[in-house]
C-alpha cells in the first residue's frame, strides 16, 4: 500500500495555526477564565449599560431610583461638583391668577408684586385692559390662551371676573383675591371717581372729562335716597361677579350668583383675604406662596412703601346719613352675605395658623349694622386706564 503523503508546509515556515511538529493550535481566549457563553453575557451587559447611559442623558437626569439611592446614601455626589447645572425647578403652584376686585387694595398689592417679581424671578403678567371685566366666549378663550402660554412660574393680574380655564381645556390656575366691606368699597369708588386721591384732584379730573359738574358734586345722600343709577342695583352688585364668573346670571343680584360665588371660593381660590386685615392677608400669602410672596410683609411695612401707599387714600370722602346707609345695606344684602361668608372663612384660616382676629362680637345682619368708613389704602378703580403707567412712574422716582 502507498503511504499517504503529508502535505508540505507552505514556504517560509510552518502552516497557519500549527505548532511545532505540525500540531494545530487552539486560539487563546481574551479572558482565559471565561467561557464563550460568559463572554457573550458580558457583552450583552455592556450593551445594556450603554443604552441606559444614553437614555439617562437624553432624559435630562437620573431615574427615580437613583435619586432615592442618593437620598439614602447622602446628598453629596460627584455630580454636585462636576455635573451640569440642575434644571430649573418650577414652584408649586406655578400658575397663579389675581383677578383683583376694584377699590379693594389692588394697587397696593400690584406695587408689591412688581417688587417681588424682580426679587424672586417669577413672571408678573399684567394687562393693558383695565375697564373690561365681562368677556364674550371668544374673548375668554383668547385671554385664557394668552395666560396659559405665559412663561412659568407666572402670576397674572387684571380686573376681570372669574374665568373657568378647564371649561376651555386649559389647566385651572390657583386664584387669589382681596375684598372689603361693600359699603366702604362703594363710598371709596364714589368719591374717588369725583375727586381722586392725594396725588391731586386736577390729575383725576383730566381722566374723567365727561363727568358733568352737577354729577361730580352730587350729594351722596341724594344719590342714594333718590335712587340714582350709580347708587342702585345692578351697579351696587359689584363684588360677587368677580367670584361667580362670566355667566350672565352672575351679574343679576340673587341667590344663584351668591351660591355660585361661594362655590368658586371653596374650589378655585387658595385665599380670599379681607382688606381691613391686609397685614394678615400678606402673611398668609407669604406662607402659602413663598416663591411669590416671600418677604412681602417686611416690604409692605417699609417706611418708603408706606409713603407711596398714603398717596392712594381717597380724598373728600363723606359718610352718608343713617337713613341712606340703611337703604344701601338693603340694596347690598347679597354683597354682605358674601362678604361675611368670606370673612368667616378667612378667620378660620387664620386660627389654623395661630393668628388672632380682633373681633369683639359677632356682627348683626347687614341691614341693621352701620359701620364707619375705613381709612384704608386705595387701589385704582377698573375704570381708570393708566394704572400701569402710574406704577411705572413710581419706579422712575
Amino acid at each position: 500500500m502507498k503511504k499517504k503523503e503529508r502535505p508540505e508546509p507552505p514556504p517560509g515556515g510552518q502552516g497557519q495555526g500549527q505548532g511545532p511538529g505540525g500540531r494545530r493550535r487552539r486560539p487563546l481566549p481574551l479572558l482565559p477564565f471565561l467561557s464563550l457563553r460568559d463572554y457573550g453575557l458580558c457583552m450583552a451587559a455592556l450593551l445594556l449599560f450603554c443604552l441606559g447611559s444614553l437614555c439617562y442623558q437624553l432624559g435630562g437626569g437620573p431615574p427615580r431610583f437613583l435619586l432615592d439611592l442618593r437620598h439614602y446614601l447622602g446628598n453629596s455626589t460627584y455630580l454636585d461638583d462636576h455635573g451640569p447645572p440642575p434644571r430649573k425647578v418650577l414652584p408649586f403652584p406655578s400658575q397663579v391668577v389675581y383677578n383683583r376686585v376694584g377699590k379693594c387694595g389692588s394697587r397696593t398689592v400690584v406695587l408689591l408684586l412688581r417688587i417681588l417679581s424682580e426679587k424672586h424671578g417669577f413672571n408678573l403678567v399684567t394687562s393693558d385692559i383695565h375697564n373690561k371685566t365681562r368677556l364674550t366666549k371668544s374673548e375668554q378663550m383668547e385671554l385664557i390662551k394668552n395666560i396659559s402660554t405665559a412663561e412659568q412660574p407666572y402670576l397674572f393680574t387684571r380686573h376681570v371676573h372669574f374665568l373657568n380655564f378647564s371649561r376651555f381645556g386649559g389647566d385651572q390656575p390657583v386664584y387669589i383675591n382681596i375684598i372689603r366691606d361693600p359699603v366702604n368699597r362703594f363710598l371709596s369708588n364714589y368719591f374717588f371717581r369725583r375727586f381722586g386721591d392725594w396725588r391731586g384732584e386736577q390729575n383725576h379730573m383730566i381722566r374723567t372729562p365727561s363727568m358733568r359738574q352737577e354729577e361730580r358734586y352730587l350729594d351722596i345722600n341724594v344719590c342714594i335716597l333718590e335712587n340714582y343709577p350709580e347708587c342702585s342695583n345692578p351697579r351696587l352688585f359689584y363684588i360677587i361677579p368677580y367670584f361667580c364668573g362670566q355667566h350672565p346670571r352672575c351679574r343679576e343680584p340673587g341667590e344663584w350668583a351668591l351660591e355660585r360665588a361661594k362655590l368658586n371660593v371653596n374650589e378655585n381660590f387658595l385665599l380670599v383675604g379681607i382688606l381691613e386685615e391686609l397685614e394678615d392677608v400678606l402673611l398668609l400669602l407669604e406662607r402659602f406662596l413663598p416663591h411669590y410672596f416671600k418677604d412681602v410683609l417686611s416690604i409692605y411695612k417699609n417706611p418708603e412703601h408706606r409713603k407711596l401707599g398714603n398717596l392712594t387714600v381717597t380724598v373728600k370722602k363723606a359718610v352718608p346719613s343713617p337713613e341712606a346707609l340703611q337703604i344701601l345695606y338693603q340694596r347690598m344684602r347679597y354683597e354682605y352675605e358674601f362678604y361675611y361668608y368670606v370673612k368667616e372663612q378667612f378667620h378660620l384660616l387664620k386660627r389654623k395658623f395661630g393668628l388672632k382676629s380682633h373681633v369683639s362680637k359677632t356682627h348683626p345682619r347687614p341691614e341693621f349694622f352701620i359701620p364707619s368708613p375705613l381709612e384704608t389704602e386705595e387701589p385704582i378703580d377698573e375704570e381708570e386706564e393708566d394704572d400701569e403707567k402710574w406704577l411705572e412712574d413710581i419706579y422712575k422716582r
Side-chain angles (χ1 to χ4, degrees):
M1 294 180 64
K2 288 185 179 180
K3 290 186 179 179
K4 202 172 190 177
E5 295 183 1
R6 180 180 299 171
E8 294 186 8
Q14 298 174 340
Q16 186 176 359
Q18 293 181 352
R23 289 176 298 178
R24 183 176 295 274
R25 295 181 301 179
R26 297 181 62 184
L28 292 175
L30 295 178
L31 297 175
F33 53 86
L34 292 179
S35 66
L36 188 61
R37 178 187 175 190
D38 294 336
Y39 180 74
L41 290 176
C42 289
M43 294 301 295
L46 180 61
L47 178 62
L48 289 176
F49 175 81
C50 293
L51 290 176
S53 177
L54 178 63
C55 293
Y56 173 89
Q57 297 180 47
L58 293 177
R64 181 67 190 176
F65 80 92
L66 287 181
L67 294 176
D68 294 338
L69 181 62
R70 170 177 174 171
H71 179 73
Y72 176 77
L73 296 176
N75 290 326
S76 178
T77 68
Y78 179 83
L79 287 177
D80 289 333
D81 299 323
H82 304 278
R87 292 181 301 168
K88 182 179 181 181
V89 179
L90 294 177
F92 181 82
S94 60
Q95 304 172 80
V96 180
V97 172
Y98 172 34
N99 62 323
R100 57 188 193 265
V101 180
K103 307 307 295 176
C104 291
S106 62
R107 185 165 56 185
T108 298
V109 178
V110 170
L111 180 57
L112 289 169
L113 285 171
R114 287 188 173 272
I115 299 173
L116 291 168
S117 65
E118 294 184 0
K119 181 180 178 68
H120 301 315
F122 65 86
N123 184 19
L124 179 61
V125 184
T126 58
S127 174
D128 295 329
I129 302 174
H130 312 293
N131 57 352
K132 189 174 180 60
T133 58
R134 301 186 292 269
L135 309 177
T136 65
K137 184 177 179 179
S138 60
E139 289 172 337
Q140 293 178 56
M141 294 176 63
E142 183 66 22
L143 180 57
I144 288 174
K145 178 182 176 182
N146 292 338
I147 297 174
S148 301
T149 55
E151 181 184 357
Q152 298 183 25
Y154 69 74
L155 191 151
F156 174 80
T157 178
R158 172 181 161 179
H159 292 300
V160 64
H161 295 168
F162 174 79
L163 293 166
N164 190 343
F165 282 60
S166 58
R167 179 189 174 195
F168 299 98
D171 294 331
Q172 189 73 2
V174 166
Y175 274 85
I176 59 173
N177 217 324
I178 301 174
I179 65 174
R180 70 187 294 190
D181 179 276
V183 163
N184 288 328
R185 194 217 70 82
F186 163 75
L187 295 177
S188 177
N189 182 63
Y190 183 89
F191 292 103
F192 179 77
R193 293 183 64 245
R194 287 160 172 78
F195 308 114
D197 50 32
W198 287 109
R199 290 175 295 151
E201 177 181 4
Q202 182 181 4
N203 189 32
H204 192 72
M205 290 178 68
I206 294 175
R207 300 189 187 112
T208 55
S210 60
M211 183 177 289
R212 297 171 299 174
Q213 288 297 98
E214 55 267 28
E215 181 183 1
R216 188 179 302 277
Y217 293 97
L218 176 66
D219 184 87
I220 182 68
N221 293 300
V222 174
C223 181
I224 297 170
L225 297 176
E226 297 188 10
N227 204 23
Y228 277 66
E230 186 176 359
C231 301
S232 308
N233 283 314
R235 294 280 292 276
L236 294 177
F237 193 68
Y238 183 86
I239 297 176
I240 287 178
Y242 276 87
F243 301 87
C244 179
Q246 298 290 335
H247 195 284
R249 292 185 66 182
C250 288
R251 303 190 288 273
E252 301 173 3
E255 291 289 340
W256 189 91
L258 171 64
E259 294 304 319
R260 182 160 177 164
K262 290 180 180 179
L263 181 65
N264 280 332
V265 166
N266 294 333
E267 294 186 351
N268 295 292
F269 282 80
L270 178 66
L271 177 68
V272 181
I274 304 297
L275 181 62
E276 293 86 348
E277 303 170 41
L278 182 57
E279 288 193 9
D280 289 339
V281 176
L282 298 178
L283 181 60
L284 288 177
L285 285 172
E286 185 171 354
R287 293 190 180 184
F288 292 160
L289 300 170
H291 290 86
Y292 300 88
F293 288 95
K294 185 180 179 182
D295 300 325
V296 64
L297 197 56
S298 60
I299 296 173
Y300 173 73
K301 291 182 176 181
N302 186 287
E304 292 299 319
H305 184 272
R306 288 286 190 175
K307 290 179 183 179
L308 298 178
N310 291 335
L311 295 175
T312 66
V313 177
T314 301
V315 299
K316 298 187 179 181
K317 191 191 301 185
V319 180
S321 66
E323 180 185 2
L325 279 174
Q326 295 292 348
I327 293 176
L328 272 184
Y329 295 135
Q330 292 170 5
R331 293 174 184 171
M332 305 176 79
R333 177 169 65 91
Y334 295 109
E335 292 275 280
Y336 267 100
E337 285 193 33
F338 180 74
Y339 171 74
Y340 283 121
Y341 174 80
V342 169
K343 191 172 185 179
E344 181 182 4
Q345 299 300 312
F346 180 65
H347 286 169
L348 287 173
L349 196 59
K350 286 173 60 177
R351 284 198 290 273
K352 289 181 180 179
F353 284 85
L355 301 177
K356 294 183 179 180
S357 300
H358 303 286
V359 180
S360 56
K361 60 181 179 179
T362 304
H363 293 301
R365 295 287 295 176
E367 51 263 38
F368 301 106
F369 172 57
I370 305 179
S372 58
L374 299 169
E375 291 297 330
T376 50
E377 298 179 9
E378 310 292 352
I380 282 185
D381 181 74
E382 75 275 9
E383 296 178 2
E384 191 157 345
E385 298 183 357
D386 57 353
D387 184 19
E388 305 301 328
K389 184 177 183 303
W390 183 84
L391 291 171
E392 291 173 1
D393 292 341
I394 291 294
Y395 274 86
K396 294 177 181 178
R397 293 180 182 178

